[in-house]
Amino acid sequence: MAPGAAHPALLALLALLGALLPGPGGAETSVQPPKAIIPQGGSVRVTCSASCDHPSILGLETELTKKEVDHGENWKTFELTNVLSDSTPKCFSTCSENQSSTSVSIIVYRFPEHVKLAPLPTWQPVDEHFILTCQVSGGAPRAHLSVMLLRGEEVLERQPVAKGESTEVMFTVLAKREDHGVNFSCRTELDLRSEGLGLFQNSSAPRKLQTFVLPMTGLHLDTLRIVEVGTQWLVSCTLDGLFPASEAEVHMALGDQNLEPKIVNHGDSLLATAWVKSNEEEGTQHLVCQVTLGDQTRSRLENVTIYSFPAPYLTLSRPQVPEWTTVTVECKAHAGAVVTLEDAPARLGAPRAQLQLNASAEDNGRSFSCSAALEVAGQWLYKNRTLKLSVLYGPRLDERDCPGNWTWQEGSQQTLRCQARGNPLPKLKCSRKGDGASLPIGDLRPVKREVAGTYLCQANSSRGVTKREVVVNVIYHQNIPAIIVPVVAVITLGAVGAAAYIYYRKQKKQIYELQKAQKGWEKSGKKLNTPATPP
Ligand SMILES: *[C@@H]1O[C@H](CO)[C@@H](O)[C@H](O)[C@H]1NC(C)=O
Ligand SMILES: *[C@@H]1O[C@H](CO)[C@@H](O)[C@H](O)[C@H]1NC(C)=O
Ligand SMILES: *[C@@H]1O[C@H](CO)[C@@H](O)[C@H](O)[C@H]1NC(C)=O
Ligand SMILES: *[C@@H]1O[C@H](CO)[C@@H](O)[C@H](O)[C@H]1NC(C)=O
Ligand SMILES: *[C@@H]1O[C@H](CO)[C@@H](O)[C@H](O)[C@H]1NC(C)=O
Ligand SMILES: *[C@@H]1O[C@H](CO)[C@@H](O)[C@H](O)[C@H]1NC(C)=O
Ligand SMILES: *[C@@H]1O[C@H](CO)[C@@H](O)[C@H](O)[C@H]1NC(C)=O
Ligand SMILES: *[C@@H]1O[C@H](CO)[C@@H](O)[C@H](O)[C@H]1NC(C)=O
């Protein structure tokens, strides 16, 4: 029920009271209610009354559709319908000659038809102010209408809505990190509580805000600066302090070749890595890393020099030569590079170098190393190549390889060394003259007298045969039992011989002679006691 449509009986009573209380100066027109607030298109009843002591002429002057619904002496009740806008109908009365009038204020209220939050910036940089606009169309009375900006459910600010059918209300907001992903909305409030009505709210659809931080500096791009053709290498691009890091997009490219970076976020840090393979084209290429967040992009560029540098071309006239053959070693470099051939006469900055030699046994297994140097983007690069020469010689078995005279103490610890040299490696065989026993090459611990002897060593290879004699002497102490046996034998024989002689002479010579023989025997006994001396 519209608030203006009061009960007709009550209105009649009020009109009667108005008639009974004459206003100052006699005839007066009054209206009930003096003020009404009704919804747009609604209706309201208005009672006009006159304070006149006799019947008077009463009327209501309005453009609105009116209908007299009741009347009495000096009062009339009108119903006004389809009230679309604010209006002030006038009640008038004529009492005798005197005319008077009074107006009633009818205020129409309506809810806004549209409450909208204008589209937000897609991405809003953090710590920058931006404007949020609430669009309100309709809504009356405007004096009672306000609009609020909401962040989620929190009211950030309230502003009145100015007059006009469609009004925009602007709010300035400082973007924060915490605002990322938060819904913002507008809400109108039509506050008619002072009019005895309620508080009416209308809300807009929410819009999600996206805030971001993309630092101006600090983007790093790590890469090799000089790269050989065909190389694969890893490049990485890093940036700290960006928010929200997970929303960042990374583009990496080498020249016109797009890379496929692998992106890892850690807090506010971003790391993008990608494998790059240099194509076959030499020269400088741009490696670029671009980080895009929100509507901004940061990029970093590095120059990568791609070069081609094959190892030097090193040759030997023959890789395997017989002794005393002339060998030519030659080293050639790729265009632009310079070479240095080890042992060759130094010729600075030359693209080729040569060396000649008369191959000797000492050159067998000798390495020839050639180093090429190339300057790329201010850096010197080196590449080496090494070749080994094989010189056929031998077999060799000289004093150095196999000493021919060894003299050792029995029981001592020794090492017998005998090794044939040659390329190909000769086979060595040493056998003792007489019994053919093998020469015990290697560690002898202890040396035994049985190894003594003269050995004949023979070194064989496809290149010939060589021979050498090796004498092994073992010195040993002649101890007592060894010497006693022959001595005792001699003495025994001597004694038997002497006895036979004495017996024979006893018959011919005197006692004196016998005594002389006895003395000789004593002499032999003395000799028996003398200690043996080593030879
Ligand atoms: C009309 O009004 C005048 C003054 O306002 C007053 O003096 C006069 O008495 C009134 N006439 C009648 C008939 O009430
Ligand atoms: C924001 O609004 C959308 C659309 O109404 C809703 O789906 C989403 O859940 C809201 N997000 C938050 C954080 O309230
Ligand atoms: C505005 O809010 C009122 C109640 O508060 C509701 O009756 C009305 O339908 C709303 N208007 C719109 C356009 O949503
Ligand atoms: C890359 O090379 C260009 C010339 O091609 C030069 O202007 C630029 O300074 C170089 N950039 C870097 C980072 O060296
Ligand atoms: C190589 O050296 C050996 C020994 O000095 C010599 O006999 C020979 O003639 C040399 N050969 C050449 C080609 O110079
Ligand atoms: C190549 O030769 C240069 C100069 O002789 C040397 O400094 C470098 O260590 C060598 N590199 C290799 C891999 O042998
Ligand atoms: C072997 O060596 C010993 C002692 O070193 C020496 O007396 C002897 O003459 C040498 N014999 C030969 C054949 O050189
Ligand atoms: C060495 O060669 C000779 C003949 O060339 C041969 O009689 C001898 O058995 C060979 N010795 C070895 C150890 O091969």
Side-chain angles (χ1 to χ4, degrees), residues 340 342 369-372 382-386:
T340 314
E342 213 172 65
S369 176
C370 180
S371 169
Y382 296 91
K383 278 211 178 165
N384 305 346
R385 192 152 267 178
T386 301

Side-chain angles (χ1 to χ4, degrees), residues 152 181-184 205-208:
V182 170
N183 281 339
F184 281 76
R207 285 189 191 271
K208 198 188 266 181

Side-chain angles (χ1 to χ4, degrees), residues 8 10 30 67 162 186 218 288-289 313 354 441 456 461 470 476 482 484:
L10 181 69
S30 62
K67 193 172 114 193
C186 298
V288 70
C289 173
Y313 184 65
Q354 208 185 44
I441 295 168
L456 184 64
S461 81
V470 175
Y476 50 91
I484 253 172

Side-chain angles (χ1 to χ4, degrees), residues 464-530:
V465 182
T466 189
K467 289 184 181 149
R468 182 169 177 78
E469 229 174 50
V470 175
V471 179
V472 178
N473 302 303
V474 178
I475 304 161
Y476 50 91
H477 299 288
Q478 288 179 321
N479 50 24
I480 293 162
I483 200 156
I484 253 172
V485 176
V487 170
V488 166
V490 167
I491 288 166
T492 312
L493 277 174
V496 169
Y501 179 77
I502 289 159
Y503 180 75
Y504 170 73
R505 289 292 295 258
K506 204 176 29 189
Q507 294 176 337
K508 289 192 209 171
K509 292 186 181 175
Q510 294 120 334
I511 299 245
Y512 172 75
E513 301 280 306
L514 190 79
Q515 278 171 334
K516 229 177 157 183
Q518 213 166 348
K519 248 184 182 166
W521 187 85
E522 272 168 11
K523 220 176 167 183
S524 304
K526 225 179 192 169
K527 193 180 173 188
L528 206 135
N529 289 334
T530 43

